[in-house]
Amino acid sequence: MTVQPSRPTFGLDDFGLDDRMRLFGYVTAENRFAYLWLLRAFDSARSSYHVVLHTADVAAALAALHEANADCPDPAHVELPRLLDALVDWGVLDRGQDGSRATTLAEYRNRHSVYQFTEAGYRAHRAVEAVLSASMDDSTLSRLVFADLLADLNALASANEAGDAEEVYRKFNRLDRALADIAERAARFYHMLGDLGRTNDVRPEAFLAHKDALLAHLRDFHDELQRYTPRLRAAVHEVEATGLDRLIEAAAEADERLFHTPVQRLDDWRRRWAGLRSWLAPPGPEQLSEADRLSDATIAAIGDVLALLRRVTEARRGGVSRESQLRHLAAWFTHTGTQEAAHALFDVVFGLGAPRHVGVAHPDPEAIASRLSWWEAPAVELSRTLVATGRAPGQGRGRPARLDRVDDRRHRLRGDQLARERRLADAATALAAEGVDDHRLDGSQTQVLLRLLDIALAARVGGRAVVPLAAAAHGVRLTLTPTPGRFTTVRTAEGRLHLDGYALTVTAAQHTAVRRPELVSA
């Protein structure tokens, strides 16, 4: 990377690259907030026309800021001389001596130090403040500026034709600032739209509440841009028809920048006109102007907003957004105990596994030269059954395999099933007798409760139910009554179960009898 040397400025701006970078050293220093408030004290005094401050004046200004802002440090608890010396070393402040404050001979010999902003230091501080106070409030596209651009171009043509150099300078400079403001606002606005589409923290309610205003803003700006683009192009040609060289010379003649040579001023204004022309009227008919690119970007932004609207509405219609699904999946991956469990979860979720390797010989091996590589040889057709299952088509068909009947294993499994059902029946009876509010459910009672909840909630149609839901099993009946604004909490052995908006009751079923399964011999 090569750094272009700065233009000669008669020795008044001899800051090197390293010196300019050191101006921002206080931003990353250990006491960066103390340095920031100290410079704010200088800036506050400067706004009151007090440029040169003594250490006592700095302490007074900092104390005034401390009274108005709780974040500002108390000057009694900071070492002002050390902070001021560091800012002087970085080049942000300039230190001088003031002997007029001395009241004794010793003070006169010591002389009091006074401080003020250096020009580069003041600009560095204002740049930091601009970054800290930046907001998205001004990230809008101004559609009213096009009428002002057209009026200024017409006035510029009249002033150039009349030979009024000062009016040419004023209108030309105003046009340059207006185009720079349009470009900066457009960059911020489209960057804001990009962040809106990429961020995961956008609230659907806020977006849906402002989507109409956002789309209307983009549509109005695009309509004004389309309406004024041909008129602005024609106005640029009218200005050039009055004499482009004459225009540049008039603007450079009225330019009051002292430390620019006449040649530099001419080159600068010629560059500005070239930028203005590229924005509004490029020289070639096939070249797109920056206004045309801005129009295309506006159309693309409208499409992006509509795509974001579609994603938000689809997420709200489904009840669970894609963002929520991914967050829960990430939590599952985080809480997996072993790496093998994480791999298993990955295979289940994404359906990915190890590749299947198959080998098939070509029907006519002699038709392919042995010197050809795999990349050059023709491909071999593979059967879908072979790729999916690893078996050739037709393989495995014929007589079915003999079915082995293991009676003792079947008897044991049947006994386990009946014992489990009997345990759940006992748990259901105890659950109906004791209720769910006053005691802690054991594992069997929790299993019965979850089974009943699964049956009851499956009967809902389209979101939250508005009528009571009921389910019966194991001789008990569970009833869910909608009660908006109420939480029902059930204590279980594994934790607490919360039901939002439902009242839960478990009673013995009147129309069914509890049938206790018994073990039977196979």
Side-chain angles (χ1 to χ4, degrees), residues 417-449:
Q417 180 184 6
L418 293 176
R420 183 169 59 255
E421 292 296 328
R422 186 169 57 252
R423 184 174 65 254
L424 293 179
D426 295 338
T429 303
L431 187 64
E434 300 176 0
V436 297
D437 297 331
D438 300 330
H439 75 289
R440 181 180 180 183
L441 307 186
D442 57 16
S444 300
Q445 293 174 346
T446 303
Q447 186 176 357
V448 172
L449 179 63

Side-chain angles (χ1 to χ4, degrees), residues 28-71:
T28 57
E30 181 180 358
N31 296 327
R32 52 185 176 273
F33 294 109
Y35 288 120
L36 177 63
W37 282 102
L38 186 60
L39 293 178
R40 285 176 175 174
F42 275 91
D43 194 10
S44 175
R46 183 166 177 158
S47 63
S48 301
Y49 310 107
H50 295 140
V51 179
V52 181
L53 301 181
H54 187 262
T55 306
D57 300 331
V58 175
L62 195 62
L65 290 178
H66 175 69
E67 293 179 359
N69 301 275
D71 296 335

Side-chain angles (χ1 to χ4, degrees), residues 98-109 111-112:
D98 183 13
S100 62
R101 294 174 175 269
T103 57
T104 62
L105 181 60
E107 291 182 358
Y108 178 78
R109 290 174 178 175
R111 293 184 298 181
H112 289 215

Side-chain angles (χ1 to χ4, degrees), residues 214-246:
L214 183 60
L215 290 173
H217 179 70
L218 287 171
R219 184 179 61 251
D220 293 343
F221 177 78
H222 181 263
D223 292 343
E224 289 294 303
L225 184 59
Q226 290 293 101
R227 187 162 67 94
Y228 275 97
T229 295
R231 302 170 65 182
L232 291 172
R233 184 182 297 111
V236 170
H237 294 314
E238 291 178 2
V239 171
E240 291 185 343
T242 61
L244 180 58
D245 294 336
R246 181 181 179 181

Side-chain angles (χ1 to χ4, degrees), residues 61-330:
L62 195 62
L65 290 178
H66 175 69
E67 293 179 359
N69 301 275
D71 296 335
C72 179
D74 190 351
H77 299 151
V78 296
E79 301 179 14
L80 282 182
R82 184 177 62 83
L83 299 180
L84 292 171
D85 291 341
L87 291 172
V88 170
D89 293 338
W90 285 318
V92 182
L93 296 180
D94 180 50
R95 178 170 50 206
Q97 303 296 334
D98 183 13
S100 62
R101 294 174 175 269
T103 57
T104 62
L105 181 60
E107 291 182 358
Y108 178 78
R109 290 174 178 175
N110 292 330
R111 293 184 298 181
H112 289 215
S113 296
V114 290
Y115 301 88
Q116 64 176 331
F117 270 118
T118 62
E119 181 61 25
Y122 180 71
R123 294 191 180 189
H125 170 65
R126 297 310 304 168
V128 172
E129 289 286 2
V131 173
L132 295 178
S133 60
S135 64
M136 304 303 295
D137 297 337
D138 56 349
S139 297
T140 55
L141 299 171
S142 177
R143 60 184 178 86
L144 304 178
V145 73
F146 298 119
D148 295 336
L149 287 177
L150 183 60
D152 289 340
L153 283 172
N154 294 331
L156 180 61
S158 302
N160 191 36
E161 189 175 4
D164 190 348
E166 293 183 357
E167 184 67 13
V168 167
Y169 171 77
R170 284 193 292 268
K171 296 302 181 184
F172 198 171
N173 195 27
R174 180 174 172 177
L175 282 169
D176 181 68
R177 291 198 305 268
L179 283 178
D181 182 69
I182 292 176
E184 184 178 357
R185 282 177 175 270
R188 289 200 301 264
F189 184 77
Y190 294 127
H191 182 70
M192 181 267 292
L193 289 182
D195 289 343
L196 182 65
R198 290 188 300 266
T199 183
N200 294 325
D201 298 330
V202 57
R203 291 181 300 154
E205 295 79 6
F207 175 73
L208 293 176
H210 298 90
K211 65 177 178 61
D212 294 333
L214 183 60
L215 290 173
H217 179 70
L218 287 171
R219 184 179 61 251
D220 293 343
F221 177 78
H222 181 263
D223 292 343
E224 289 294 303
L225 184 59
Q226 290 293 101
R227 187 162 67 94
Y228 275 97
T229 295
R231 302 170 65 182
L232 291 172
R233 184 182 297 111
V236 170
H237 294 314
E238 291 178 2
V239 171
E240 291 185 343
T242 61
L244 180 58
D245 294 336
R246 181 181 179 181
L247 174 74
I248 301 299
E249 292 174 359
E253 180 183 356
D255 193 348
E256 296 180 348
R257 286 179 290 181
L258 179 62
F259 300 118
H260 281 65
T261 63
V263 175
Q264 290 176 345
R265 289 197 291 267
L266 284 172
D267 292 340
D268 182 51
W269 287 104
R270 188 173 289 107
R271 178 189 57 80
R272 295 190 187 190
W273 180 257
L276 187 147
R277 204 181 198 285
S278 67
W279 249 93
L280 303 176
E286 69 282 354
Q287 295 182 1
L288 288 177
S289 65
E290 294 298 328
D292 295 331
R293 293 190 178 92
L294 186 59
S295 177
D296 296 340
T298 306
I299 293 296
I302 293 176
D304 294 339
V305 173
L306 292 177
L308 180 59
L309 174 62
R310 183 172 59 254
R311 294 205 310 267
V312 171
T313 53
E314 288 178 354
R316 290 170 64 88
R317 187 184 304 116
V320 179
S321 64
R322 185 65 173 172
E323 174 194 351
S324 178
Q325 295 175 355
L326 293 177
R327 287 182 181 273
H328 282 81
L329 179 59

